[in-house]
Amino acid sequence: MTDPVRYSVQDGIAVIAVDNPPVNALSQAVRAGLAEAVARLSGDDQARAGVIYGAGRTFIAGADIREFGKPMAEPFLPDVIAAIEACEKPVVAALHGTALGGGLEVALGCHARVALASAKVGLPEVTLGILPGAGGTQRLPRIAGAAAALDLITSGRHVAAVEALKLGIVDAVVDGDDPLAAGLAHARRLADGEATGRRSGEIDPGAKDEALFADWRAKTKKSARGQISPMVAIDAIEAAYDLPFNEGMARERELFKELMASDQRAGLIHAFFAERAVAKIPEAEAASPREVASIGVIGGGTMGSGIAVAALNAGLPVTLVERDEASVERARGIVSKLLDDGVRRGKLSEARRDQILSRDFSTATDYSALAETDLVIEAVFEDMDVKKDVFRRLDGIAKAGAILATNTSYLDVNEIAAATSRPQDVIGFHFFSPAHVMRLLEVVVADKTAADVVATGFALAKKLRKVAVRAGVCDGFIGNRLLNTYRKAADYMVEDGASPYQIDAALVAFGFPMGPFAVSDLAGLDIAWAGRKRRAATRDPRERTVGIADRICERGWFGQKTGRGYYLYEPGARRGSPDPEVEAIIAAEREAKGIVPRSFTDEEIVSRYMAAMINEAAKIVEEGIALRPLDVDVTMLAGYGFPRWRGGPMQYADRLGLDTVLAELRRLSAEDGFFWEPAPLLVRLADEGQTFASLNERD
Ligand code: TC6
């Protein structure tokens, strides 16, 4: 094993290389190595200055997150950084790749920072449930001012080198790809007195702008949706103005430790690692992806056009096929509009948009245009017969080895694959709307899908910057099968006496961006109505059914798009208000069934909703539809608005204790029957005193 920190001297400048792949995280060995290297620099007659840089693809990307939650080992990072800052010889941080979290804090403790133009810096700690605990909340405001510190620290966003230069976070931006050369040149200038370095801890931060802090607090409270770390981070930044530097550092440390001990930190770290672990699937280990240099999309509606834009934005050429010229024109219009939106938001240059439209994007009305395409995604109407017909036709023209994907949110991918002579090449992709924005992609593996086709699905998702989750075939896969279940729990509560508005409010307070009834209004009530009709023939006769949504749909109220659903919408408004007529419909349905409404507390609402979700999730894992509990967590976090700081439903269940969840399900099943019967996996784990997390490690 190589030394995680190496010290050498080049022409009178000490070179301190951090070499801890893959991201040069600040493990205990790196912290100790840095401390030792700085001590050596101080006493080294051969060295007039020093450069700290990262070996490999990046500067230091932060603390070693795997050490979080365990007892912290010395030397502590703030002390190491204090030693760097106190060094009487100038020390330069040479940044490339990403300088994040503790990595940027190390750089802020140096006396100057140079960055390659491609580098990014940031303090993303709040996204992991903590705050910059090695001086970031005290040094960044001193270097870049309160407004920039509040922005960067509460959002955790990564800032490109050019913006970092404007904000004063770095002193110089250098072209090229050699951070060490840039660092050495700057260190020489400092040693020769041609440039001056600074100790950021010694800078006077100036007077506190009370209005600015009040403004950020109000804004952050709203956007954080129950997450505490951004609010606590503001307290820490404020200490930079209220207290002398050393006391501010102590205050930062105290707040950091509080957050480190919180459940929210555990939830957010789980989310971080789970989002990376979902890509570890047997097929990706067994096979290499096929090459995908061109994409075909069949169907240019909202979904098909969104998928096309996702691929185009990732640099892939797309051929979109529609049934006639008018539909092609419509699809072109949607694609252009989505690209224009990208330009307006600064995500895409005008030149790139023009290049996409003139060179990368083509359309056709004949499937023969897809004869040479590597991967074709069908995104036509969600109807089995229509999809089977598309696949029969595709089978007739697609080249050997082409991947044929169906974009579906619940249909049987085995049946679609069987319509072709090459089921091994057929796979399901469940994109979420808007497809060019939403991060989740369920990759649905049918019985005969080849391993390299699955591996290609995951490789494509990465290219599209999406999080892919592997799902097996069943009605609704992971996400919509869960949605369908917890929606039923919500409907039962409404029939029993809760109002949809109270349920929505209780779940927003839990941390969801919207409650289930507002989500239904947004998605369109007609879609779920069609699903209920489709499932009616195969429904378990023991299942309790609720007619309220059908009564609303029968009036032609399909949600936002018709101005009316569970809520009433002013023209063009996205937020609705409670509708007394809906309340009357609910009352009439209860009366017809002889139900005397009872009241629910918000806690009861959350408890039932989560019990239904966790129980169905346990079945999904047990059946192998999801590989592991963490795949369920990522599905709900990336596609369904589950509050990230709660880590996902399985992580939440572990925190509650599976025996507690089981007791609630047993109580509900005694009261309300079959729907609540506990999943055998849940019973087994609870009996063994185990957690869902114990199933996350595959052998
Ligand atoms: C902090 O610094 C607090 C300081 C206070 C101290 C008092 N630790 O994402 P990728 C692993 S908080 C340990 O696929 P990319 C990752 O799990 C921290 N491991 O690569 C994966 O492992 P696998 C602030 C880490 O090129 C592998 O590295 N810093 C860490 O797409 C590759 O990762 C952050 O929040 C880590 N810090 O993106 C930065 N980081 O192969 C978090 C990564 O076994 N990291 N790994 O699955 C990132 O945002 C990204 O990893 C990236 C690279 C942008 C650095």
Side-chain angles (χ1 to χ4, degrees):
M1 220 175 84
T2 53
D3 251 342
V5 179
R6 289 190 302 273
Y7 181 94
S8 60
V9 179
Q10 280 186 30
D11 296 333
I13 309 291
V15 174
I16 300 169
V18 178
D19 190 1
N20 183 27
V23 296
N24 292 327
L26 289 157
S27 63
Q28 189 277 338
V30 171
R31 298 195 300 274
L34 277 174
E36 200 185 306
V38 171
R40 199 161 155 191
L41 164 62
S42 281
D44 190 343
D45 294 342
Q46 305 301 311
R48 300 186 294 145
V51 176
I52 299 177
Y53 85 108
R57 62 184 170 121
T58 183
F59 189 72
I60 302 163
D64 188 338
I65 302 173
R66 286 165 308 191
E67 289 182 356
F68 288 4
K70 300 178 187 155
M72 284 188 248
E74 289 190 65
F76 301 131
L77 190 58
D79 301 332
V80 175
I81 296 173
I84 297 172
E85 190 170 76
C87 183
E88 63 288 357
K89 295 176 186 169
V91 183
V92 175
L95 313 180
H96 79 298
T98 45
L100 299 174
L104 181 58
E105 289 176 305
V106 167
L108 292 173
C110 291
H111 308 119
R113 288 149 293 282
V114 292
L116 296 189
S118 55
K120 287 193 171 157
V121 306
L123 292 173
E125 284 87 342
V126 296
T127 65
L128 299 170
I130 53 172
L131 53 74
T137 65
Q138 305 305 296
R139 289 194 177 90
L140 189 61
R142 285 178 160 82
I143 279 205
L150 284 163
D151 170 18
L152 263 64
I153 292 173
T154 60
S155 71
R157 74 186 175 92
H158 298 184
V159 173
V162 176
E163 187 185 350
L165 180 68
K166 266 191 218 143
L167 294 172
I169 300 171
V170 299
D171 303 284
V173 173
V174 179
D175 285 327
D177 56 6
D178 189 348
L180 178 57
L184 284 170
H186 203 81
R188 238 168 247 125
R189 279 197 292 279
L190 287 177
D192 293 343
E194 290 166 15
T196 41
R198 296 186 295 175
R199 290 192 171 83
S200 47
E202 291 175 359
I203 297 170
D204 177 0
K208 180 164 83 180
D209 183 343
E210 297 282 1
L212 180 74
F213 275 90
D215 192 35
W216 272 92
R217 267 185 212 291
K219 241 186 346 207
T220 307
K221 190 160 196 282
K222 233 169 136 186
S223 61
R225 275 198 218 108
Q227 191 180 324
I228 52 177
S229 52
M231 293 300 287
V232 179
I234 297 179
D235 293 344
I237 300 167
E238 204 163 26
Y241 294 88
D242 292 343
L243 300 171
F245 180 73
N246 283 337
E247 288 174 36
M249 287 294 289
R251 176 81 180 126
E252 176 195 85
R253 196 71 189 155
E254 186 188 351
L255 296 171
F256 171 78
K257 283 186 177 164
E258 269 172 32
L259 289 176
M260 191 56 107
S262 69
D263 282 349
Q264 293 203 0
R265 189 272 305 156
L268 287 160
I269 299 286
H270 169 72
F272 178 87
F273 284 118
E275 272 181 2
R276 283 156 179 83
V278 281
K280 296 184 174 121
I281 55 160
E283 291 88 350
E285 281 158 22
S288 301
R290 295 183 191 174
E291 196 185 328
V292 175
S294 56
I295 299 277
V297 176
I298 302 178
T302 312
M303 215 38 172
S305 300
I307 294 168
V309 169
L312 290 164
N313 281 339
L316 288 161
V318 174
T319 305
L320 188 149
V321 174
E322 257 294 359
R323 66 186 145 216
D324 51 37
E325 281 304 334
S327 309
V328 160
E329 271 321 298
R330 223 184 104 246
R332 268 201 165 272
I334 302 175
V335 168
S336 299
K337 187 187 164 300
L338 295 179
L339 292 172
D340 286 347
D341 288 348
V343 172
R344 237 192 326 277
R345 295 211 180 101
K347 304 232 179 256
L348 191 73
S349 69
E350 285 188 25
R352 176 71 190 125
R353 174 202 55 199
D354 296 346
Q355 188 184 48
I356 287 176
L357 287 172
S358 61
R359 192 192 69 182
D360 299 348
F361 181 53
S362 55
T363 51
T365 53
D366 195 322
Y367 280 34
S368 60
L370 302 174
E372 290 307 314
T373 308
D374 295 326
L375 188 150
V376 182
I377 304 169
E378 159 281 310
V380 302
F381 188 62
E382 190 84 330
D383 176 280
M384 182 54 89
D385 291 335
V386 178
K387 294 210 185 242
K388 275 162 76 174
D389 183 49
V390 169
F391 273 77
R392 261 182 229 114
R393 291 170 66 188
L394 253 183
D395 193 23
I397 62 100
K399 68 177 179 184
I403 293 174
L404 312 181
T406 173
N407 174 59
T408 174
S409 46
Y410 55 81
L411 292 179
D412 183 343
V413 183
N414 284 319
E415 197 177 332
I416 296 172
T420 72
S421 63
R422 40 174 131 178
Q424 74 280 0
D425 294 335
V426 177
I427 192 165
F429 284 165
H430 178 201
F431 283 92
F432 288 71
S433 190
H436 64 301
V437 175
M438 290 289 287
R439 287 175 62 233
L440 181 63
L441 176 69
E442 277 182 290
V443 174
V444 185
V445 180
D447 292 347
K448 294 189 177 156
T449 310
D452 63 346
V453 171
V454 181
T456 313
F458 273 73
L460 177 70
K462 189 159 188 188
K463 197 151 195 193
L464 304 188
R465 308 179 78 154
K466 296 200 182 295
V467 181
V469 174
R470 186 194 188 282
V473 175
C474 69
D475 192 338
F477 317 125
I478 300 174
N480 277 353
R481 177 166 156 187
L482 280 177
L483 168 71
N484 191 28
T485 306
Y486 59 76
R487 270 306 268 108
K488 278 184 198 157
D491 285 342
Y492 297 159
M493 286 190 274
V494 170
E495 199 174 61
D496 288 338
S499 92
Y501 315 118
Q502 185 198 356
I503 292 176
D504 276 359
L507 289 156
V508 167
F510 180 80
F512 281 95
M514 294 168 93
F517 295 97
V519 169
S520 292
D521 274 4
L522 179 65
L525 301 191
D526 47 335
I527 295 172
W529 196 22
R532 285 195 297 279
K533 287 183 195 159
R534 181 171 52 80
R535 288 190 196 99
T538 53
R539 188 184 296 135
D540 190 314
R542 292 172 296 173
E543 188 181 313
R544 172 178 171 188
T545 54
V546 176
I548 295 164
D550 292 354
R551 301 296 89 76
I552 294 175
C553 287
E554 283 156 12
R555 283 170 169 74
W557 301 347
F558 294 151
Q560 281 192 22
K561 62 186 169 193
T562 58
R564 205 162 183 175
Y566 285 98
Y567 292 81
L568 263 174
Y569 299 86
E570 295 293 328
R574 297 171 65 105
R575 279 176 71 98
S577 50
D579 185 345
E581 286 191 51
V582 167
E583 288 178 314
I585 291 172
I586 294 168
E589 285 292 304
R590 286 177 190 145
E591 206 176 308
K593 283 196 175 175
I595 294 171
V596 179
R598 51 161 288 212
S599 64
F600 283 81
T601 64
D602 289 358
E603 290 73 32
E604 266 181 293
I605 289 170
V606 168
S607 177
R608 287 184 184 219
Y609 196 75
M610 289 310 303
M613 193 186 301
I614 293 162
N615 199 35
E616 192 66 19
K619 294 178 193 167
I620 285 173
V621 171
E622 190 157 35
E623 291 167 26
I625 299 299
L627 274 185
R628 299 147 296 198
L630 65 84
D631 297 81
V632 175
D633 282 340
V634 173
T635 304
M636 295 309 292
L637 294 174
Y640 293 81
F642 196 95
R644 193 174 167 87
W645 51 270
R646 292 193 189 270
M650 309 308 258
Q651 163 90 359
Y652 177 73
D654 280 350
R655 194 138 346 104
L656 283 179
L658 297 192
D659 49 349
T660 306
V661 179
L662 181 61
E664 172 75 340
L665 284 164
R666 287 199 166 128
R667 191 182 65 72
L668 288 165
S669 123
E671 182 186 300
D672 195 24
F674 154 78
F675 175 80
W676 300 101
E677 261 170 37
L681 174 67
L682 181 58
V683 175
R684 178 167 70 75
L685 290 174
D687 284 351
E688 291 170 0
Q690 272 297 358
T691 57
F692 283 123
S694 67
L695 303 179
N696 280 337
E697 296 299 324
R698 285 191 315 112
D699 10 293

